[in-house]
Coordinates of all heavy atoms in Angstrom, one line a residue:
D1 N -9.0 -12.1 27.3 CA -10.0 -13.1 27.1 C -11.4 -12.5 27.4 O -12.3 -12.8 26.6 CB -9.8 -14.3 28.0 CG -10.5 -15.6 27.6 OD1 -10.6 -15.8 26.3 OD2 -11.0 -16.3 28.4
G2 N -11.5 -11.7 28.4 CA -12.8 -11.0 28.6 C -13.2 -10.0 27.5 O -14.4 -9.9 27.2
I3 N -12.2 -9.3 27.0 CA -12.5 -8.4 25.9 C -13.0 -9.2 24.6 O -14.0 -8.8 24.0 CB -11.2 -7.6 25.5 CG1 -10.9 -6.7 26.7 CG2 -11.5 -6.8 24.3 CD1 -9.6 -5.9 26.6
L4 N -12.3 -10.3 24.4 CA -12.9 -11.1 23.2 C -14.3 -11.6 23.4 O -15.1 -11.6 22.5 CB -11.9 -12.3 22.9 CG -10.5 -11.9 22.5 CD1 -9.6 -13.2 22.4 CD2 -10.5 -11.2 21.2
K5 N -14.6 -12.0 24.6 CA -16.0 -12.4 24.9 C -17.0 -11.2 24.7 O -18.0 -11.4 24.2 CB -16.0 -12.9 26.3 CG -15.5 -14.3 26.5 CD -15.6 -14.8 28.0 CE -14.9 -16.1 28.1 NZ -14.9 -16.5 29.5
E6 N -16.6 -10.0 25.1 CA -17.4 -8.9 24.9 C -17.6 -8.6 23.4 O -18.7 -8.2 23.0 CB -16.9 -7.7 25.6 CG -17.0 -7.7 27.2 CD -18.5 -7.7 27.5 OE1 -19.3 -6.9 27.0 OE2 -18.8 -8.7 28.3
I7 N -16.5 -8.7 22.7 CA -16.6 -8.4 21.2 C -17.5 -9.5 20.6 O -18.4 -9.2 19.7 CB -15.2 -8.5 20.6 CG1 -14.4 -7.2 21.0 CG2 -15.4 -8.5 19.0 CD1 -13.0 -7.2 20.6
E8 N -17.4 -10.7 21.0 CA -18.3 -11.8 20.5 C -19.8 -11.5 20.8 O -20.7 -11.7 20.0 CB -17.9 -13.2 21.0 CG -16.7 -13.8 20.3 CD -16.9 -13.9 18.8 OE1 -18.0 -14.3 18.4 OE2 -16.0 -13.6 18.1
R9 N -20.0 -11.0 22.1 CA -21.3 -10.6 22.5 C -22.0 -9.5 21.6 O -23.0 -9.6 21.1 CB -21.3 -10.0 23.9 CG -21.8 -10.9 24.9 CD -21.9 -10.4 26.4 NE -21.7 -8.9 26.5 CZ -22.7 -8.0 26.6 NH1 -23.9 -8.3 26.3 NH2 -22.4 -6.7 26.8
M10 N -21.1 -8.5 21.2 CA -21.5 -7.4 20.3 C -21.8 -7.9 18.9 O -22.7 -7.5 18.3 CB -20.4 -6.3 20.3 CG -20.4 -5.6 21.6 SD -19.3 -4.1 21.6 CE -17.7 -4.8 21.5
K11 N -20.9 -8.8 18.5 CA -21.1 -9.4 17.1 C -22.4 -10.1 17.0 O -23.0 -10.1 16.0 CB -20.0 -10.4 16.8 CG -18.7 -9.8 16.4 CD -17.6 -10.8 16.1 CE -17.9 -11.5 14.8 NZ -16.7 -12.3 14.4
N12 N -22.9 -10.7 18.1 CA -24.2 -11.4 18.2 C -25.3 -10.4 18.4 O -26.5 -10.9 18.6 CB -24.1 -12.5 19.2 CG -23.1 -13.6 18.8 OD1 -22.9 -13.9 17.7 ND2 -22.5 -14.2 19.9
G13 N -25.1 -9.2 18.5 CA -26.1 -8.2 18.7 C -26.5 -8.0 20.2 O -27.6 -7.5 20.4
E14 N -25.7 -8.6 21.0 CA -26.1 -8.5 22.5 C -25.6 -7.2 23.1 O -24.6 -7.2 23.9 CB -25.5 -9.7 23.2 CG -26.0 -11.1 22.7 CD -25.3 -12.2 23.3 OE1 -24.7 -12.1 24.4 OE2 -25.2 -13.3 22.7
I15 N -26.1 -6.1 22.7 CA -25.8 -4.8 23.2 C -27.1 -4.2 23.7 O -28.1 -4.0 23.0 CB -25.2 -3.9 22.1 CG1 -24.1 -4.5 21.4 CG2 -24.8 -2.5 22.7 CD1 -23.6 -3.8 20.1
S16 N -27.1 -3.9 25.1 CA -28.3 -3.4 25.7 C -28.4 -1.9 25.3 O -27.3 -1.2 25.1 CB -28.4 -3.6 27.2 OG -27.4 -2.8 27.8
E17 N -29.6 -1.3 25.4 CA -29.7 0.1 25.2 C -28.9 0.9 26.3 O -28.3 1.9 26.0 CB -31.2 0.5 25.4 CG -31.5 1.9 24.9 CD -31.3 2.2 23.4 OE1 -31.7 1.3 22.6 OE2 -30.9 3.3 23.1
K18 N -28.9 0.3 27.5 CA -28.1 1.0 28.6 C -26.6 1.1 28.3 O -26.0 2.1 28.5 CB -28.4 0.2 29.9 CG -27.7 0.8 31.1 CD -28.1 0.1 32.4 CE -27.4 0.7 33.6 NZ -27.8 0.0 34.8
E19 N -26.1 -0.1 27.8 CA -24.6 -0.1 27.4 C -24.4 0.9 26.3 O -23.3 1.6 26.3 CB -24.2 -1.5 26.9 CG -24.2 -2.6 28.0 CD -24.0 -3.9 27.5 OE1 -24.7 -4.4 26.5 OE2 -23.1 -4.6 27.9
F20 N -25.3 0.9 25.3 CA -25.1 1.8 24.2 C -25.1 3.3 24.6 O -24.3 4.0 24.1 CB -26.2 1.5 23.1 CG -26.1 2.3 21.9 CD1 -25.0 2.0 21.0 CD2 -26.9 3.3 21.5 CE1 -24.9 2.8 19.8 CE2 -26.8 4.0 20.4 CZ -25.8 3.7 19.5
E21 N -26.1 3.6 25.5 CA -26.1 5.0 25.9 C -24.9 5.4 26.7 O -24.4 6.5 26.6 CB -27.4 5.2 26.7 CG -28.7 5.2 25.8 CD -28.7 6.2 24.7 OE1 -28.2 7.4 24.9 OE2 -29.1 5.9 23.6
A22 N -24.4 4.4 27.5 CA -23.2 4.7 28.3 C -22.0 4.9 27.4 O -21.2 5.8 27.7 CB -22.9 3.5 29.3
A23 N -21.9 4.2 26.3 CA -20.8 4.4 25.4 C -20.9 5.7 24.7 O -19.9 6.4 24.5 CB -20.8 3.2 24.3
K24 N -22.1 6.2 24.4 CA -22.3 7.4 23.7 C -21.9 8.6 24.7 O -21.3 9.5 24.3 CB -23.7 7.6 23.2 CG -24.0 6.8 22.0 CD -25.4 7.0 21.4 CE -26.4 7.8 22.0 NZ -27.7 7.8 21.2
I25 N -22.3 8.5 26.0 CA -21.9 9.4 27.0 C -20.4 9.5 27.2 O -19.8 10.6 27.2 CB -22.6 9.1 28.4 CG1 -24.1 9.4 28.2 CG2 -21.9 9.9 29.4 CD1 -24.9 8.9 29.4
S26 N -19.7 8.3 27.1 CA -18.3 8.2 27.3 C -17.6 9.0 26.1 O -16.7 9.8 26.3 CB -17.8 6.8 27.3 OG -16.4 6.7 27.3
L27 N -18.1 8.8 24.8 CA -17.6 9.4 23.7 C -17.8 10.9 23.8 O -16.9 11.7 23.4 CB -18.2 8.9 22.4 CG -17.7 7.5 22.0 CD1 -18.6 7.0 20.9 CD2 -16.3 7.6 21.6
K28 N -19.0 11.3 24.2 CA -19.4 12.8 24.3 C -18.4 13.4 25.3 O -17.8 14.5 25.0 CB -20.8 12.9 24.8 CG -21.2 14.4 25.0 CD -22.6 14.5 25.5 CE -23.0 15.9 25.6 NZ -24.4 16.1 26.1
N29 N -18.1 12.8 26.4 CA -17.2 13.3 27.4 C -15.8 13.5 26.8 O -15.1 14.5 27.0 CB -17.1 12.5 28.6 CG -18.4 12.6 29.5 OD1 -19.1 13.6 29.3 ND2 -18.7 11.6 30.2
S30 N -15.4 12.5 26.0 CA -14.0 12.5 25.4 C -14.0 13.7 24.4 O -13.0 14.4 24.4 CB -13.8 11.3 24.7 OG -13.6 10.2 25.6
Y31 N -15.0 13.9 23.6 CA -15.0 15.0 22.6 C -15.0 16.3 23.4 O -14.4 17.3 22.9 CB -16.1 14.9 21.6 CG -15.8 13.8 20.6 CD1 -16.6 12.6 20.6 CD2 -14.7 13.8 19.8 CE1 -16.3 11.6 19.7 CE2 -14.4 12.8 18.9 CZ -15.2 11.7 18.9 OH -14.9 10.7 18.0
N32 N -15.8 16.4 24.5 CA -15.8 17.7 25.2 C -14.4 18.0 25.8 O -14.1 19.2 26.0 CB -16.8 17.6 26.3 CG -18.3 17.6 25.8 OD1 -18.5 18.0 24.7 ND2 -19.2 17.1 26.6
E33 N -13.7 17.0 26.1 CA -12.3 17.3 26.7 C -11.3 17.8 25.7 O -10.2 18.3 26.1 CB -11.8 16.0 27.3 CG -12.6 15.6 28.6 CD -12.2 14.3 29.2 OE1 -11.2 13.6 28.6 OE2 -12.7 13.8 30.2
I34 N -11.6 17.7 24.4 CA -10.6 18.2 23.5 C -10.3 19.6 23.6 O -9.2 20.0 23.5 CB -11.2 17.9 22.0 CG1 -11.1 16.4 21.7 CG2 -10.4 18.7 21.0 CD1 -11.8 16.0 20.4
N35 N -11.3 20.4 24.1 CA -11.0 21.9 24.3 C -10.2 22.1 25.5 O -9.8 23.3 25.8 CB -12.3 22.6 24.3 CG -13.0 22.6 22.9 OD1 -12.3 22.7 21.9 ND2 -14.3 22.5 22.9
D36 N -10.0 21.1 26.4 CA -9.3 21.3 27.7 C -7.8 21.4 27.5 O -7.1 21.8 28.4 CB -9.6 20.2 28.6 CG -11.1 20.3 29.1 OD1 -11.7 21.3 28.9 OD2 -11.6 19.2 29.6
S37 N -7.3 21.0 26.4 CA -5.8 20.8 26.1 C -5.5 21.5 24.8 O -6.1 21.2 23.8 CB -5.4 19.4 26.1 OG -4.2 19.2 25.5
S38 N -4.5 22.4 24.8 CA -4.1 23.0 23.6 C -3.6 21.9 22.6 O -3.9 22.0 21.4 CB -2.9 23.9 23.9 OG -3.3 25.0 24.7
F39 N -2.9 20.9 23.1 CA -2.4 19.9 22.1 C -3.6 19.2 21.5 O -3.6 19.0 20.3 CB -1.5 18.9 22.8 CG -1.0 17.8 22.0 CD1 0.0 18.0 21.0 CD2 -1.7 16.6 22.0 CE1 0.4 16.9 20.2 CE2 -1.3 15.5 21.2 CZ -0.3 15.7 20.3
S40 N -4.6 18.8 22.3 CA -5.7 18.1 21.8 C -6.5 18.9 20.8 O -7.0 18.4 19.8 CB -6.7 17.7 22.9 OG -6.1 16.7 23.8
Y41 N -6.7 20.2 21.1 CA -7.4 21.1 20.2 C -6.7 21.2 18.9 O -7.3 21.1 17.8 CB -7.4 22.5 20.9 CG -8.2 23.5 20.2 CD1 -9.6 23.6 20.3 CD2 -7.5 24.5 19.4 CE1 -10.3 24.6 19.6 CE2 -8.2 25.4 18.7 CZ -9.6 25.5 18.8 OH -10.3 26.5 18.1
I42 N -5.4 21.4 18.9 CA -4.6 21.6 17.7 C -4.6 20.3 16.9 O -4.8 20.2 15.6 CB -3.2 22.0 18.0 CG1 -3.1 23.4 18.4 CG2 -2.2 21.9 16.7 CD1 -1.8 23.9 19.1
N43 N -4.4 19.1 17.6 CA -4.5 17.8 17.0 C -5.8 17.5 16.3 O -5.9 17.0 15.2 CB -4.1 16.7 17.9 CG -4.0 15.4 17.3 OD1 -3.2 15.2 16.4 ND2 -4.6 14.3 17.9
W44 N -6.9 17.9 17.0 CA -8.2 17.7 16.4 C -8.4 18.5 15.1 O -8.8 17.8 14.1 CB -9.3 18.1 17.4 CG -10.7 18.2 16.8 CD1 -11.3 19.3 16.2 CD2 -11.6 17.1 16.7 NE1 -12.5 18.9 15.7 CE2 -12.7 17.5 16.0 CE3 -11.5 15.8 17.1 CZ2 -13.8 16.7 15.7 CZ3 -12.6 15.0 16.8 CH2 -13.7 15.4 16.2
Y45 N -8.1 19.7 15.0 CA -8.3 20.5 13.9 C -7.3 20.2 12.8 O -7.6 20.3 11.6 CB -8.3 22.1 14.2 CG -9.6 22.4 14.8 CD1 -9.9 22.6 16.2 CD2 -10.8 22.4 14.1 CE1 -11.0 22.8 16.7 CE2 -12.0 22.8 14.5 CZ -12.1 22.9 16.0 OH -13.4 23.1 16.5
H46 N -6.1 19.8 13.2 CA -5.1 19.4 12.2 C -5.6 18.1 11.4 O -5.6 18.0 10.3 CB -3.7 19.1 12.8 CG -2.7 18.6 11.9 ND1 -2.1 19.4 10.9 CD2 -2.1 17.4 11.7 CE1 -1.2 18.7 10.2 NE2 -1.3 17.5 10.7
T47 N -6.1 17.1 12.2 CA -6.6 15.9 11.6 C -7.8 16.2 10.8 O -8.0 15.6 9.7 CB -6.9 14.9 12.8 OG1 -5.8 14.7 13.6 CG2 -7.4 13.6 12.2
R48 N -8.7 17.1 11.3 CA -9.9 17.4 10.5 C -9.5 18.1 9.2 O -10.1 17.8 8.2 CB -10.8 18.4 11.3 CG -11.4 17.8 12.6 CD -12.5 16.7 12.4 NE -11.8 15.5 12.5 CZ -12.1 14.4 11.8 NH1 -13.2 14.4 11.0 NH2 -11.5 13.2 11.9
H49 N -8.5 19.0 9.3 CA -8.1 19.7 8.1 C -7.5 18.6 7.1 O -7.9 18.7 5.8 CB -7.0 20.6 8.4 CG -6.5 21.4 7.2 ND1 -7.2 22.4 6.6 CD2 -5.3 21.3 6.6 CE1 -6.5 22.8 5.5 NE2 -5.3 22.2 5.5
I50 N -6.7 17.7 7.5 CA -6.2 16.7 6.5 C -7.3 15.8 6.0 O -7.2 15.4 4.8 CB -5.2 15.8 7.3 CG1 -3.9 16.6 7.6 CG2 -4.8 14.5 6.5 CD1 -2.9 16.0 8.5
S51 N -8.3 15.5 6.8 CA -9.3 14.6 6.3 C -10.4 15.4 5.4 O -11.2 14.8 4.8 CB -10.1 14.0 7.5 OG -10.8 14.9 8.2
G52 N -10.3 16.7 5.5 CA -11.2 17.5 4.7 C -12.6 17.7 5.3 O -13.5 18.1 4.7
S53 N -12.6 17.4 6.6 CA -13.9 17.5 7.3 C -13.7 18.4 8.5 O -13.0 18.0 9.5 CB -14.4 16.2 7.8 OG -15.5 16.3 8.7
L54 N -14.1 19.6 8.5 CA -13.8 20.6 9.6 C -14.9 20.6 10.6 O -15.3 21.7 11.1 CB -13.6 22.0 9.0 CG -12.4 22.1 8.1 CD1 -12.2 23.5 7.5 CD2 -11.1 21.7 9.0
L55 N -15.4 19.5 11.0 CA -16.4 19.4 12.0 C -15.8 19.7 13.4 O -14.7 19.4 13.7 CB -17.0 18.0 12.2 CG -17.8 17.5 11.0 CD1 -18.2 16.0 11.2 CD2 -19.2 18.3 10.9
T56 N -16.5 20.5 14.2 CA -16.1 20.8 15.6 C -16.3 19.6 16.4 O -17.1 18.8 16.1 CB -16.8 22.0 16.1 OG1 -18.2 21.6 16.3 CG2 -16.7 23.2 15.3
P57 N -15.5 19.5 17.5 CA -15.7 18.4 18.5 C -17.2 18.4 18.9 O -17.8 17.3 19.2 CB -14.8 18.7 19.6 CG -13.7 19.5 19.1 CD -14.4 20.3 18.0
E58 N -17.8 19.6 19.2 CA -19.1 19.7 19.7 C -20.2 19.1 18.7 O -21.1 18.5 19.0 CB -19.5 21.1 20.0 CG -18.7 21.7 21.1 CD -17.3 22.2 20.7 OE1 -17.0 22.3 19.6 OE2 -16.5 22.4 21.7
L59 N -20.0 19.4 17.4 CA -20.8 19.0 16.4 C -20.7 17.5 16.2 O -21.7 16.7 16.1 CB -20.6 19.7 15.1 CG -21.5 19.3 13.9 CD1 -23.0 19.5 14.3 CD2 -21.2 20.2 12.6
F60 N -19.5 17.0 16.2 CA -19.2 15.6 16.1 C -19.9 14.8 17.3 O -20.5 13.8 17.1 CB -17.7 15.3 16.1 CG -17.3 14.0 15.5 CD1 -17.3 13.9 14.1 CD2 -16.9 13.0 16.3 CE1 -16.9 12.7 13.5 CE2 -16.5 11.8 15.7 CZ -16.5 11.6 14.3
S61 N -19.8 15.4 18.5 CA -20.4 14.8 19.6 C -21.9 14.7 19.5 O -22.6 13.7 19.8 CB -20.0 15.5 20.9 OG -20.7 15.1 22.0
E62 N -22.5 15.8 19.0 CA -23.9 15.9 18.8 C -24.4 14.8 17.8 O -25.4 14.2 17.9 CB -24.3 17.3 18.3 CG -25.8 17.5 18.1 CD -26.1 18.9 17.6 OE1 -25.5 19.9 18.1 OE2 -27.0 19.0 16.8
M63 N -23.6 14.7 16.7 CA -23.9 13.6 15.7 C -23.9 12.3 16.3 O -24.8 11.4 16.0 CB -22.9 13.7 14.6 CG -23.0 15.0 13.7 SD -21.7 15.2 12.5 CE -21.9 13.8 11.5
I64 N -22.9 12.0 17.2 CA -22.8 10.7 17.8 C -24.1 10.5 18.7 O -24.6 9.4 18.8 CB -21.6 10.5 18.6 CG1 -20.4 10.4 17.6 CG2 -21.6 9.4 19.6 CD1 -19.1 10.4 18.3
Q65 N -24.5 11.5 19.4 CA -25.6 11.4 20.3 C -26.9 11.1 19.6 O -27.9 10.5 20.1 CB -25.9 12.6 21.1 CG -24.7 12.9 22.1 CD -24.3 11.8 23.0 OE1 -25.0 11.2 23.6 NE2 -23.0 11.4 22.8
N66 N -27.0 11.4 18.3 CA -28.2 11.1 17.5 C -28.2 9.8 16.8 O -29.2 9.4 16.2 CB -28.3 12.2 16.4 CG -28.6 13.6 16.9 OD1 -29.4 13.7 18.0 ND2 -28.1 14.6 16.3
V67 N -27.1 9.0 17.0 CA -27.1 7.6 16.4 C -27.9 6.7 17.3 O -27.9 6.8 18.5 CB -25.6 7.2 16.3 CG1 -25.5 5.7 15.9 CG2 -24.8 8.0 15.4
T68 N -28.6 5.8 16.7 CA -29.4 4.9 17.5 C -28.8 3.5 17.5 O -28.1 3.1 16.6 CB -30.8 4.7 16.9 OG1 -30.8 4.1 15.6 CG2 -31.5 6.1 16.8
L69 N -29.2 2.7 18.4 CA -28.7 1.3 18.5 C -29.1 0.5 17.3 O -28.3 -0.3 16.8 CB -29.3 0.7 19.8 CG -28.8 -0.8 20.1 CD1 -27.2 -0.9 20.1 CD2 -29.4 -1.3 21.4
D70 N -30.3 0.8 16.8 CA -30.8 0.1 15.6 C -29.9 0.4 14.4 O -29.8 -0.5 13.5 CB -32.2 0.5 15.3 CG -33.2 -0.1 16.3 OD1 -32.8 -1.2 16.9 OD2 -34.3 0.5 16.5
E71 N -29.3 1.6 14.4 CA -28.4 1.9 13.2 C -27.0 1.2 13.4 O -26.4 0.9 12.4 CB -28.2 3.4 13.2 CG -29.4 4.2 12.8 CD -29.2 5.7 13.0 OE1 -28.7 6.2 14.0 OE2 -29.6 6.4 12.0
V72 N -26.6 0.9 14.6 CA -25.3 0.3 14.9 C -25.3 -1.2 14.8 O -24.4 -1.8 14.3 CB -24.8 0.8 16.3 CG1 -23.5 0.1 16.7 CG2 -24.6 2.3 16.2
L73 N -26.4 -1.8 15.3 CA -26.4 -3.2 15.4 C -26.1 -4.0 14.0 O -25.3 -5.0 14.1 CB -27.8 -3.7 15.9 CG -28.0 -3.7 17.4 CD1 -29.3 -4.0 17.7 CD2 -27.0 -4.5 18.1
P74 N -26.6 -3.6 12.9 CA -26.2 -4.3 11.7 C -24.7 -4.3 11.4 O -24.0 -5.2 10.9 CB -26.8 -3.5 10.5 CG -28.0 -2.9 11.3 CD -27.6 -2.6 12.6
S75 N -23.9 -3.2 11.8 CA -22.5 -3.2 11.7 C -21.8 -4.0 12.7 O -20.6 -4.4 12.5 CB -22.0 -1.7 11.8 OG -22.6 -0.9 10.8
S76 N -22.4 -4.3 13.8 CA -21.7 -5.1 14.9 C -21.4 -6.5 14.4 O -20.4 -7.0 14.9 CB -22.5 -5.2 16.1 OG -23.7 -5.9 15.9
H77 N -22.0 -7.0 13.5 CA -21.7 -8.4 12.9 C -20.4 -8.4 12.2 O -19.8 -9.4 12.0 CB -22.9 -8.8 12.0 CG -24.2 -8.8 12.7 ND1 -24.5 -9.7 13.7 CD2 -25.3 -8.0 12.5 CE1 -25.8 -9.4 14.1 NE2 -26.2 -8.4 13.4
D78 N -19.9 -7.2 11.8 CA -18.7 -7.1 11.0 C -17.4 -6.9 11.9 O -16.3 -6.9 11.4 CB -18.7 -5.9 10.0 CG -19.8 -6.1 9.0 OD1 -20.1 -7.2 8.7 OD2 -20.3 -5.1 8.6
L79 N -17.6 -6.9 13.2 CA -16.4 -6.8 14.1 C -15.5 -8.0 13.9 O -15.9 -9.1 13.8 CB -16.9 -6.8 15.6 CG -17.6 -5.5 16.0 CD1 -18.2 -5.7 17.4 CD2 -16.7 -4.3 16.0
N80 N -14.2 -7.7 14.0 CA -13.2 -8.8 13.7 C -12.4 -8.9 15.0 O -11.8 -8.0 15.6 CB -12.3 -8.3 12.6 CG -11.3 -9.4 12.2 OD1 -11.1 -10.4 12.9 ND2 -10.7 -9.2 11.0
T81 N -12.3 -10.2 15.5 CA -11.6 -10.4 16.7 C -10.2 -11.0 16.5 O -9.5 -11.3 17.4 CB -12.4 -11.5 17.5 OG1 -12.6 -12.7 16.8 CG2 -13.7 -11.0 18.0
S82 N -9.8 -11.1 15.2 CA -8.4 -11.5 15.0 C -7.4 -10.5 15.4 O -7.6 -9.3 15.3 CB -8.2 -11.9 13.5 OG -8.2 -10.7 12.7
T83 N -6.3 -10.9 15.9 CA -5.3 -10.0 16.4 C -3.9 -10.5 15.9 O -3.8 -11.7 15.5 CB -5.1 -9.9 17.9 OG1 -4.9 -11.3 18.4 CG2 -6.5 -9.3 18.5
T84 N -3.0 -9.6 15.8 CA -1.6 -9.9 15.4 C -0.7 -9.5 16.5 O -0.8 -8.4 17.1 CB -1.2 -9.1 14.1 OG1 -2.2 -9.4 13.1 CG2 0.1 -9.5 13.6
S85 N 0.2 -10.4 16.9 CA 1.2 -10.0 17.9 C 2.5 -10.5 17.5 O 2.7 -11.4 16.7 CB 0.7 -10.7 19.3 OG 0.8 -12.0 19.1
S86 N 3.5 -9.8 18.1 CA 4.8 -10.3 17.8 C 5.6 -10.4 19.1 O 5.3 -9.5 20.0 CB 5.5 -9.3 16.8 OG 5.6 -8.0 17.4
T87 N 6.6 -11.2 19.2 CA 7.4 -11.3 20.4 C 8.9 -11.1 19.9 O 9.3 -11.8 19.0 CB 7.2 -12.7 21.0 OG1 5.8 -12.9 21.2 CG2 7.9 -12.8 22.3
K88 N 9.6 -10.2 20.7 CA 10.9 -10.0 20.4 C 11.7 -11.0 21.3 O 11.5 -11.1 22.5 CB 11.4 -8.6 20.7 CG 10.8 -7.6 19.7 CD 11.3 -6.2 19.9 CE 10.7 -5.3 18.9 NZ 11.2 -4.0 19.1
C89 N 12.7 -11.6 20.8 CA 13.5 -12.6 21.6 C 14.9 -11.9 21.9 O 15.4 -11.1 21.3 CB 13.8 -13.9 20.8 SG 12.4 -14.8 20.5

């Protein structure tokens, strides 16, 4: 329920600069960790090869750091809160 409220907040454009910068730092740290594991490293470049985009994790991280909140806010209205679940009996 808390996650859905946060998504609704984002859909309404209620994202502070501080929250946005914290999210970018979190993503940067995740991309920096790719080089810490052989599996992550291989998986990254395998996926990049399949997608046809051979960006390094460092370059990808740098690109994310250059994104502004003003560029993201228009897309936040398109977030979808619908979910699908199944229960096995």
Side-chain angles (χ1 to χ4, degrees):
D1 201 36
I3 293 173
L4 293 177
K5 287 180 183 175
E6 286 299 310
I7 292 173
E8 283 301 318
R9 259 185 8 91
M10 289 188 293
K11 283 178 73 169
N12 295 328
E14 298 173 27
I15 305 169
S16 71
E17 190 69 39
K18 185 177 178 179
E19 289 173 309
F20 184 69
E21 290 302 318
K24 288 185 352 180
I25 289 169
S26 178
L27 286 170
K28 180 180 181 179
N29 290 337
S30 294
Y31 287 115
N32 288 342
E33 290 174 2
I34 288 171
N35 292 321
D36 293 345
S37 157
S38 298
F39 177 78
S40 295
Y41 183 84
I42 291 167
N43 187 50
W44 171 268
Y45 283 102
H46 177 72
T47 304
R48 296 292 94 212
H49 178 72
I50 290 171
S51 70
S53 172
L54 295 178
L55 293 174
T56 65
E58 295 81 12
L59 184 56
F60 203 76
S61 176
E62 184 179 319
M63 291 169 64
I64 289 171
Q65 296 310 304
N66 292 326
V67 173
T68 67
L69 182 56
D70 289 335
E71 293 172 312
V72 172
L73 281 176
S75 300
S76 67
H77 304 293
D78 297 331
L79 290 171
N80 186 345
T81 57
S82 67
T83 59
T84 305
S85 62
S86 63
T87 307
K88 291 185 179 180
C89 297

